[in-house]
Amino acid sequence: FTASVRSDSSGPSVITPAYTYTYADLDRASDALCAKIRSIIDKKTMINIYQGRGFHFIVSMIAVVKARCGYIPVDASLPVARARQMLSESPAVLTLCDTSTAPVANLGKVSALQVEAEVSSPADCINRPEFARSEQDELYNIFTSGSTGTPKASSVFYSGFWNLLEWYSETLGVT
């Protein structure tokens, strides 16, 4: 991502029916959200992302990674009861939500943060203290239904993700 921002900051990164966002837009927005995340949490942790698909969801994923945390995506199109169950069983201490998911996201045990309100002002995540990250840290958790039908979180670690990216690059020529 950083290489794309440096090489083509005015290039399109996210295209929606209403607007085309550049890499610079995405970088600024994710820096602002990263700064807000860092002001709320003081350690590496997992963060729920419970939003509809679109620009702010992508901003959230990048901001969480910039903050050296891991994320748990919770699909906003799930039935409310299922989303509440997943959020209540999540180990996250913060939920990044949007206006449509905020009423469900605030379950009391974790803080909820509406992303649209946080990405409108510029911030500098780079000047914030860094959390050390290792290949054994969780990048994200994904809930699977498993054989029982009850959602269960499965971890994907940075090491596995980097291996996948290397395979994409070497085998498929994806850069």
Side-chain angles (χ1 to χ4, degrees), residues 14-170:
V14 179
I15 300 171
T16 69
Y19 190 78
T20 297
Y21 296 91
T22 66
Y23 282 104
D25 295 332
L26 188 55
D27 192 43
R28 279 191 300 273
S30 60
D31 278 352
L33 185 56
C34 174
K36 184 63 177 183
I37 290 168
R38 292 276 186 85
S39 74
I40 295 171
I41 61 171
D42 62 353
K43 61 181 178 178
K44 252 186 319 194
T45 189
M46 298 302 290
I47 296 172
N48 295 320
I49 301 177
Y50 181 43
Q51 302 169 31
R53 294 179 184 178
F55 177 70
H56 291 106
F57 186 87
I58 295 169
V59 166
S60 296
M61 289 190 304
I62 293 171
V64 169
V65 171
K66 283 182 176 184
R68 303 293 194 254
C69 295
Y71 64 90
I72 303 167
V74 179
D75 190 342
S77 67
L78 288 172
V80 170
R82 179 81 163 203
R84 281 187 184 177
Q85 180 183 11
M86 292 169 68
L87 292 168
S88 69
E89 292 179 15
S90 165
V93 298
L94 177 65
T95 298
L96 302 177
C97 60
D98 59 26
T99 53
S100 68
T101 60
V104 176
N106 196 355
L107 294 175
K109 78 171 197 166
V110 299
S111 300
L113 181 65
Q114 286 190 27
V115 174
E116 304 98 329
E118 300 303 328
V119 298
S120 59
S121 60
D124 185 8
C125 181
I126 296 167
N127 292 331
R128 301 256 175 200
E130 291 287 329
F131 299 133
R133 177 172 59 197
S134 83
E135 290 186 352
Q136 298 310 312
D137 287 340
E138 292 173 294
L139 173 60
Y140 65 90
N141 281 196
I142 192 81
F143 276 89
T144 61
S145 60
S147 60
T148 64
T150 301
K152 178 184 174 195
S154 297
S155 299
V156 174
F157 296 89
Y158 277 94
S159 59
F161 182 71
W162 289 122
N163 288 340
L164 176 64
L165 290 180
E166 285 178 23
W167 180 85
Y168 282 149
S169 179
E170 292 170 8

